Amino acid sequence: MEDTEPKKGLNRRQFLKVSGAARAAVGTVGLGLFGYQSGKDPSSYTGEESFQGAVEQFGRDKYSVHIPTYEIVGKTSRIDARTDVVFSRFPNLMRNWDDEKGLESLDENMQAYYRKYPEVLKDDLYAKNEIFPKRRADNKKFQDQFVLAEAWSHAMGAVWPEGLNEPPEISDFPKPDRSGKTKEPYALKSHELTAKLIKTMSYQFGSAVVGITKLNPDWVYKYPMRNRGLDTDTPLEVPKHWEYAIVVATPMSWDPLYANPNYGTSHDAYAKSRIVAYRLAEFIKQLGYAARPHTPGTEYDLMVPPIAIDAGIGEQGRHSVLITPEMGSNLRPAVVTTNIPMACDKPIDFGVQDFCATCKICAESCPSGAITFGEKKEIRGYKRYELDTPKCHNFWYSNLGNIGCRICVAVCPYTRKSNWMHRAALDITANDPTGLSHTALTEMQKKFYPGPDAQDYYMPSLGGKNASFREPPWWLKSEDFIDFNG
Ligand code: SF4
Ligand code: SF4
C-alpha cells in the first residue's frame, strides 16, 4: 500500500530507509570508537565486568576463622543412617509396623533406637496414624489448587524420561498410576495462557530462550536416527501427537567457547538442554498430555535448526548453525514435541541473511574448508548455504583437547554475551538497508578479535600448532595445576 501513496516528501518506506541509514552510520561510528577502546582491553571483550564468569559475591576471606562455629561438648559419634536418618527410619516403620506386635514388629536396630528415643517413636507413629491418613483425605478435596506446583516439582526431579526406549505411542503419553488409571488431560483456559505457562516453566527448568511452533513434518527424519523405541530400518510415520514443537536452548560456557577448538565443549550445554527438555516433557505429561524430548547430542528424530527458526528462536547463518539475537550461535537447542494446545510464535528476521552475505568470517576461519564462501544453493528444496559435513567431521578429530570444533560459533560476530553494546550493534545491523554497518562491524570483529591462521588449529602431526581462537580460561590451563614431572 505504501508504494501507491501520493509522493509528498518522503513516504514511510523512504523515511525508514533514510533514517535507518543515518542511524546505522552514527551508531557504527559510535560503536567503533567505543569498541576500539574496549577492544584494547582483553578483560572487557565481552563488555562484562569479568571475562572469567561469575565473581564471588561475598568476601569470605575477611571472615575466615581457625575453628568452626559449631561446639564440641561431649564424646562425638557418627550417624547410623538406618535409624538416625528419618528418610530411612520412617519408611521402615511404615512398611513393617504392626499395631498388635508393636515394637516387636521392627528389626533389632529399630527396636533399640526407639527404646533409646521413645519420644521419636511417638512422633513417628503420630505421622503414620494421624498426619498421613488426613493428608490423603484432604488431598482429594484440595488437590486442584496444587496441580501446577506438583507437576512442576515432578518435572524438576526428572533426570531421565520414563520409558523413552518405547515407541512414541507409548513413551510419549502419561503412564497409568498404581491403580491403573491414566491421567486425563486437564482442560486449559486458552492457547495463549498455556504458551505463557510453558515458556515460564521452560525458564524455570533452565532454558535461556524458548519458542513454540506447529511442527512441520518436513523436519522429521524419514528414518529414525537412534533406537529410542523405533526401528531404524522402518520409515518413521510422524506421530499425530507431534503437533507442536517447543524449542528450548542453553548456551555453552562462554570462556571455553571462545578458546575453541581445544578447550571448548558442547557437552555442558548438551546436558543442560537435555535436562530442560526432560523436565518440560515431564511437566506436560503431568498435565495429562503427550510429550517427547528430542535432545543433543544425538537423541532426536528431527532436524532442530529449522524448527527453531519456525519457532522464532533465530535464523540460520552461513555456517549452518542457528544465530539468535541473545547468544549468537552459542546455544545448544532441544525440542519437545507435544499435543498440548498452545499459541505459536512467529519466525524472526533480524538481518542475519544480509549480514552473512558479506561477512564470511566463519568461512575464513574454518580450518576444514567446510563453510562455503559462495552463494546459497538448493538443498532438499530449500535454499541455504551448503556445509561440507564430511570435511567438518574430519576436523573434529584433527585437533586435540575436546573432540569437536566450534570455531565457526566462536568467531561469529553475533556470538557475544548479551550486553548493551551487543544489543546496539544488533539493532543497527537489523535496520541498516545500506549494508554499510555490516562491513564496518565485520571489520571491527576482525580487528578486535583476531584469530590464528585456520591451518594453525590443526594438531601438529597434521601441520598445525594446537592453536585456539582465544586464550583458555585459567581454570582449564592444565600446566598451571598439574605437575607433569611429579
Ligand atoms: S565446526 Fe569447525 S570445521 Fe566444522 S564448519 Fe565449524 S569451523 Fe568448520
Ligand atoms: S561469521 Fe559471519 S558469515 Fe558466518 S555465520 Fe556469523 S555472521 Fe554469518
Side-chain angles (χ1 to χ4, degrees):
M1 291 298 109
E2 291 154 280
D3 287 341
T4 60
E5 280 171 8
K7 305 268 183 299
K8 261 195 257 154
L10 294 176
N11 68 23
R12 188 171 165 271
R13 179 173 291 168
Q14 286 166 333
F15 174 77
L16 284 176
K17 258 192 161 187
V18 171
S19 62
R23 198 146 57 109
V26 172
T28 307
V29 170
L31 281 174
L33 290 172
F34 181 82
Y36 179 70
Q37 282 306 318
S38 70
K40 287 195 297 189
D41 176 5
S43 70
S44 67
Y45 74 91
T46 62
E48 303 239 332
E49 190 185 343
S50 163
F51 72 92
Q52 294 174 355
V55 287
E56 200 175 9
Q57 296 188 5
F58 187 82
R60 281 177 169 71
D61 285 353
K62 188 177 162 193
Y63 299 96
S64 67
V65 290
H66 293 299
I67 49 169
T69 51
Y70 50 75
E71 285 184 273
I72 300 172
V73 292
K75 188 172 179 301
T76 61
S77 63
R78 292 163 61 197
I79 279 194
D80 182 343
R82 298 169 302 173
T83 47
D84 291 326
V85 177
V86 68
F87 303 117
S88 311
R89 184 183 72 245
F90 189 68
N92 189 335
L93 178 87
M94 290 290 273
R95 266 193 320 272
N96 299 312
W97 181 264
D98 181 318
D99 280 340
E100 279 181 20
K101 291 188 189 160
L103 262 187
E104 299 301 316
S105 55
L106 303 176
D107 64 41
E108 278 179 17
N109 280 324
M110 290 282 283
Q111 288 187 32
Y113 177 85
Y114 280 134
R115 283 205 177 92
K116 191 169 173 191
Y117 304 107
E119 70 286 2
V120 179
L121 176 63
K122 210 170 132 201
D123 282 345
D124 287 357
L125 284 175
Y126 174 71
K128 175 183 173 300
N129 297 329
E130 295 289 327
I131 299 178
F132 271 63
K134 286 187 173 139
R135 182 184 159 86
R136 276 192 288 274
D138 272 17
N139 211 10
K140 279 194 185 131
K141 267 199 235 165
F142 303 111
Q143 70 185 161
D144 282 1
Q145 195 177 339
F146 305 109
V147 165
L148 290 184
E150 277 207 16
W152 170 72
S153 171
H154 271 282
M156 279 297 194
V159 288
W160 180 254
E162 220 181 303
L164 198 58
N165 293 328
E166 291 167 315
E169 302 73 52
I170 299 170
S171 73
D172 298 8
F173 287 86
K175 296 270 171 290
D177 64 17
R178 280 192 210 138
S179 66
K181 267 203 329 208
T182 307
K183 197 170 267 179
E184 283 295 314
Y186 285 98
L188 298 159
K189 290 197 171 174
S190 78
H191 285 25
E192 285 71 25
L193 273 176
T194 308
K196 188 176 173 188
L197 178 65
I198 290 294
K199 287 183 178 183
T200 303
M201 285 296 166
S202 302
Y203 296 131
Q204 282 288 319
F205 298 150
S207 195
V209 284
V210 54
I212 299 170
T213 180
K214 282 263 186 182
L215 178 65
N216 175 352
D218 251 16
W219 306 138
V220 179
Y221 291 159
K222 227 194 269 182
Y223 287 81
M225 181 153 103
R226 283 283 189 276
N227 209 322
R228 305 207 322 152
L230 294 161
D231 175 7
T232 48
D233 288 324
T234 304
L236 174 56
E237 285 281 326
V238 182
K240 282 206 172 55
H241 61 271
W242 290 9
E243 204 182 336
Y244 296 87
I246 307 162
V247 183
V248 293
T250 61
M252 292 171 272
S253 185
W254 285 91
D255 297 328
L257 168 83
Y258 287 133
N260 264 302
N262 295 303
Y263 293 92
T265 176
S266 302
H267 283 292
D268 61 346
Y270 280 177
K272 285 184 277 183
S273 290
R274 219 180 284 145
I275 288 191
V276 175
Y278 292 170
R279 285 173 164 174
L280 188 56
E282 179 59 31
F283 178 77
I284 293 169
K285 284 183 182 179
Q286 287 289 323
L287 299 185
Y289 294 87
R292 187 177 186 83
H294 305 262
T295 59
T298 53
E299 292 97 25
Y300 40 71
D301 300 306
L302 36 73
M303 286 165 70
V304 177
I307 299 174
I309 293 168
D310 290 347
I313 298 281
E315 297 185 59
Q316 191 166 32
R318 178 180 287 276
H319 53 4
S320 290
V321 186
L322 198 70
I323 298 180
T324 64
E326 297 86 359
M327 296 166 286
S329 290
N330 180 16
L331 79 164
R332 294 301 187 204
V335 169
V336 173
T337 47
T338 179
N339 60 1
I340 192 167
M342 293 167 288
C344 292
D345 294 299
K346 286 182 175 167
I348 55 170
D349 174 355
F350 59 107
V352 169
Q353 304 314 311
D354 281 349
F355 197 95
C356 284
T358 53
C359 168
K360 302 183 185 177
I361 287 178
C362 53
E364 286 164 13
S365 310
C366 174
S368 71
I371 301 172
T372 179
F373 284 88
E375 301 293 315
K376 292 178 181 177
K377 56 194 272 196
E378 186 185 326
I379 301 170
R380 286 190 301 276
Y382 294 91
K383 196 172 169 194
R384 49 162 290 194
Y385 292 110
E386 188 176 35
L387 183 76
D388 191 331
T389 49
K391 278 188 182 164
C392 171
H393 182 247
N394 278 351
F395 181 69
W396 295 4
Y397 304 96
S398 306
N399 65 90
L400 302 177
N402 294 325
I403 290 287
C405 171
R406 291 146 293 268
I407 294 169
C408 48
V409 170
V411 301
C412 178
Y414 284 99
T415 305
R416 295 284 161 257
K417 284 183 190 176
S418 192
N419 55 46
W420 73 265
M421 193 168 128
H422 181 195
R423 284 191 294 275
L426 268 181
D427 192 47
I428 290 165
T429 55
N431 293 292
D432 176 7
T434 65
L436 284 173
S437 66
H438 302 181
T439 316
L441 288 166
T442 303
E443 286 311 311
M444 275 166 62
Q445 167 78 11
K446 288 182 187 172
K447 178 165 178 50
F448 297 141
Y449 309 105
D453 287 344
Q455 173 62 33
D456 292 349
Y457 289 119
Y458 278 87
M459 58 190 175
S461 62
L462 288 172
K465 296 181 179 167
N466 282 343
S468 295
F469 175 51
R470 294 185 73 81
E471 275 281 291
W474 61 268
W475 45 274
L476 285 181
K477 286 187 173 176
S478 315
E479 63 279 15
D480 288 351
F481 290 90
I482 300 170
D483 183 354
F484 291 105
N485 299 316

